Amino acid sequence: MTAAGRFSMAQMAHTAKMAPAPPQLDLSRLTPFVDSLPIPEVAKPAGTRPNASRRRVPFYRIPIQEFFSKIHRDVPPTRFWGYGNSVPGPTIEARSGEEISIEWPNRLPAKHFLPIDHNLMGAEKGVPESRTVVHVHGARVPPASDGWPEAWYGPGKSATYHYPNEQEAALLWYHDHAMGINRLNICAGMAGLYVIRDSFEDPLNLPKGDYEIPLVLMDRMIQSDGQLYYPVAPTPEAPWVPEYDGDAVLINGKLLPYLAVQPRKYRFRILNASNARFYFLSLENGQPFQQIGSDQGLLSAPAVMNRLAIAPGERADVVVDFAAHRGQNILLKNLTATLMQFRVAAERVADPSTLPPTLRPVRRFTEADATVTRRLTLMEVDSLMGDPVTHLLDGKRWHDPVSEKPVLGTTEIWELLNVTDDAHPIHLHLVRFQILDRRAIEPSDWIYNSKVVYRGDAFPPEPNEAGWKDTVRATPGASTRIIVKFEGYTGRYVWHCHILEHEDNEMMRPYEVIAPAR
Ligand code: C2O
Ligand code: CU
Ligand code: CU
């Protein structure tokens, strides 16, 4: 590994270094907008069960299994591994402060249908190929219910997790977190939504019911026979590729769907559930999104966004008013690519919903709130050829001893120093945090001399990033500082890059919340 190679051309390497793929679906020959956008069904409890303190709480059972689903009218059914019978899986509707339990039985076939790399941590030969463990992203839960990556279980086994929902209204999501194959399991379809609502949000009178629509974005490579394709490196003994992206973007499991809407306000709850793709969303007619929330709930006020950037793992809660566009068809775009179509009805309708000028107060942390500052690097390790072989957090691997041990109830600043050429969405389990600032650095000073040299001023987050977050874009060649209060529970959690290929290959670390000394 040469020092200079560490931040060489990761982007080019990953497109160049793949074994030849079977014929892929030709999107340009597919008729767009023939399928209406599906809305995942809301999960129904199977009854009640005693929780840890013997109180009966609603109990759900959501099996993880194989099924086939139509991604487009003219494409043969696609094999998925997912939750229940759909991708995304059934939506969990929860209320703040009301605990639920979910059993997640693993009913998968024994053999994985996507290519496992046995060199990756936790993916050694001999462990069940179709292992799984579920994590609710953004949930404040005890460690035993968080989906620790090594707490996976194989087919025929099951786990029941407890979700206290002691947190504010937000759009969370559940997905697989099994060590070393998480990227394959999520690619196979293991993701679903988990909505928390609360009594603060209810009276805001935002669009709801039929007018609140989730949009779950997942890009895929689809073979011409309609099946998922996951590429492999040219070396069969080490098939891992540094990033997965496909040009087929599924929205709620459909390719190029349409949604019939009324000329009124809608609330769209957008999740980027893709392995590695960042989206830059816009409406073709130039109309902005009014962003009202981010990962962990409402912003203090709506932010007007002409183009909405959303990284893997992030959520954006937006309101769009179609009232002035009766009878029009409006495309949702990702840069120049078309994702879906909104068909606005011609007849005028009443719109009793509101878009309040202020939403939920967010008390901004300041540096003075923090008692500990940690500087944590994001770096790429390359082969002699300049291809990324792994990415590390703080120069450490998964199995290195736990080095981040925040004390419960204290606040810390984590300075994420990204010395790579790529943006990495960094996610911490358990907590919500705020972005303090970003500031350009010179990566070579760090790489050659372990010195941090800032270039120019620090700049605060944009208004749409100034609320509560659980995933942050650490921009390349920059320091990104987040401020985190460690609340909830003591115990071991993880933090990682949400580019799943990175996460599966060492860009994930444990951290431990410890009890205060007494
Ligand atoms: Cu979206 Cu560790 O998770
Ligand atoms: Cu998470
Ligand atoms: Cu990454």
Side-chain angles (χ1 to χ4, degrees):
M1 175 185 68
T2 60
R6 281 181 188 155
F7 50 99
S8 67
M9 313 201 275
Q11 291 294 354
M12 287 177 61
H14 88 261
T15 45
K17 295 295 168 62
M18 281 183 194
Q24 300 288 302
L25 192 65
D26 183 352
L27 292 175
S28 66
R29 300 185 56 178
L30 219 51
T31 314
F33 324 131
V34 292
D35 296 289
S36 120
L37 179 82
I39 308 296
E41 66 171 44
V42 174
K44 286 182 205 65
T48 62
R49 284 226 180 145
N51 67 0
S53 39
R54 309 238 171 123
R55 199 163 48 76
R56 292 196 84 87
V57 301
F59 167 77
Y60 296 76
R61 185 181 292 113
I62 301 180
I64 305 159
Q65 57 198 10
E66 177 172 294
F67 51 85
F68 285 77
S69 177
K70 290 276 285 179
I71 60 169
H72 184 279
R73 183 193 68 188
D74 302 329
V75 176
T78 304
R79 183 213 324 229
F80 286 105
W81 284 10
Y83 301 100
N85 280 304
S86 63
V87 175
T91 298
I92 315 288
E93 281 276 350
R95 296 242 5 136
S96 179
E98 296 179 13
E99 182 172 340
I100 64 169
S101 299
I102 307 179
E103 183 188 353
W104 305 98
N106 179 345
R107 297 186 188 152
L108 294 168
K111 191 127 187 60
H112 216 295
F113 74 104
L114 297 178
I116 294 179
D117 185 331
H118 293 291
N119 303 295
L120 301 185
M121 81 246 200
E124 296 77 20
K125 289 207 171 87
V127 293
E129 288 197 358
S130 51
R131 60 191 179 278
T132 180
V133 58
V134 185
H135 165 64
V136 179
H137 179 129
R140 187 189 288 175
V141 300
S145 290
D146 191 51
W148 180 254
E150 290 166 324
W152 50 260
Y153 44 95
K157 304 248 164 45
S158 191
T160 299
Y161 281 176
H162 306 289
Y163 302 100
N165 299 316
E166 293 287 354
Q167 59 191 104
E168 292 177 358
L171 177 66
L172 317 182
W173 63 298
Y174 61 94
H175 61 72
D176 182 74
H177 224 298
M179 195 79 176
I181 56 164
N182 172 57
R183 71 197 185 291
L184 306 177
N185 284 353
I186 294 181
C187 181
M190 293 184 210
L193 297 171
Y194 190 117
V195 191
I196 299 186
R197 306 196 183 271
D198 69 13
S199 55
F200 185 93
E201 190 182 283
D202 296 337
L204 291 181
N205 193 32
L206 293 162
K208 57 174 178 288
D210 290 345
Y211 311 106
E212 182 187 7
I213 307 279
L215 299 175
V216 179
L217 309 178
M218 305 169 156
D219 67 326
R220 294 293 183 269
M221 293 176 85
I222 307 284
Q223 300 172 16
S224 48
D225 63 359
Q227 300 312 305
L228 293 176
Y229 179 68
Y230 192 96
V232 290
T235 41
E237 64 289 350
W240 178 82
V241 294
E243 272 175 26
Y244 173 84
D245 50 58
D247 57 3
V249 177
L250 303 181
I251 307 192
N252 298 354
K254 288 283 183 202
L255 203 46
L256 295 164
Y258 72 88
L259 179 68
V261 295
Q262 294 179 358
R264 52 159 290 157
K265 287 188 282 306
Y266 279 75
R267 180 181 187 186
F268 294 106
R269 312 206 65 174
I270 307 172
L271 159 67
N272 182 353
S274 304
N275 282 37
R277 182 185 289 276
F278 290 59
Y279 295 84
F280 301 90
L281 303 175
S282 62
L283 292 166
E284 189 207 23
N285 64 355
Q287 188 182 355
F289 303 101
Q290 305 278 343
Q291 187 170 349
I292 58 170
S294 59
D295 305 338
Q296 284 282 323
L298 294 169
L299 299 171
S300 57
V304 180
M305 307 300 294
N306 287 303
R307 186 194 261 191
L308 187 62
I310 181 165
E314 285 188 312
R315 284 86 74 208
D317 194 351
V318 304
V319 170
V320 174
D321 193 347
F322 295 110
H325 305 279
R326 290 188 292 130
Q328 295 175 16
N329 292 336
I330 301 170
L331 299 180
L332 175 67
K333 313 278 282 188
N334 173 36
L335 299 173
T336 57
T338 295
L339 300 185
M340 69 174 286
Q341 181 195 54
F342 297 107
R343 293 183 190 161
V344 189
E347 310 78 54
R348 219 178 282 280
V349 293
D351 183 357
S353 69
T354 43
L355 174 61
T358 60
L359 297 158
R360 185 169 206 148
V362 175
R363 187 187 80 82
R364 292 285 303 168
F365 285 128
T366 65
E367 270 175 74
D369 292 314
T371 48
V372 173
T373 295
R374 301 176 194 271
R375 179 174 273 169
L376 300 156
T377 54
L378 281 45
M379 59 177 280
E380 181 175 316
V381 181
D382 286 356
S383 69
L384 286 173
M385 308 300 291
D387 305 321
V389 292
T390 190
H391 295 79
L392 301 179
L393 296 170
D394 195 29
K396 299 189 177 83
R397 292 177 178 265
W398 169 257
H399 286 294
D400 288 328
V402 181
S403 40
E404 281 61 58
K405 294 185 178 174
V407 175
L408 186 68
T410 64
T411 302
E412 300 195 351
I413 293 171
W414 286 24
E415 178 177 24
L416 306 167
L417 272 187
N418 183 350
V419 298
T420 77
D421 275 355
D422 299 309
H424 298 270
I426 300 296
H427 169 51
L428 277 67
H429 286 207
L430 174 71
V431 290
R432 60 178 190 174
F433 56 75
Q434 293 175 4
I435 301 171
L436 269 184
D437 53 22
R438 293 190 178 89
R439 193 172 185 186
I441 54 162
E442 185 43 70
S444 60
D445 289 319
W446 187 85
I447 288 168
Y448 294 108
N449 307 316
S450 310
K451 272 217 308 257
V452 179
V453 178
Y454 296 103
R455 293 287 173 94
D457 298 331
F459 47 97
E462 298 294 324
N464 73 321
E465 284 195 304
W468 293 105
K469 299 279 294 166
D470 58 40
T471 305
V472 60
R473 275 162 278 159
T475 42
S479 138
T480 299
R481 295 195 308 160
I482 59 171
I483 185 160
V484 195
K485 184 164 184 193
F486 290 87
E487 292 176 293
Y489 305 94
T490 56
R492 282 206 181 174
Y493 293 90
V494 301
W495 67 287
H496 59 87
C497 177
H498 224 287
I499 292 177
L500 303 178
E501 285 67 34
H502 299 177
E503 172 187 344
D504 265 349
N505 190 355
E506 301 288 358
M507 208 174 189
M508 173 165 72
R509 288 280 299 153
Y511 81 89
E512 184 170 356
V513 182
I514 59 174
R518 42 198 341 246

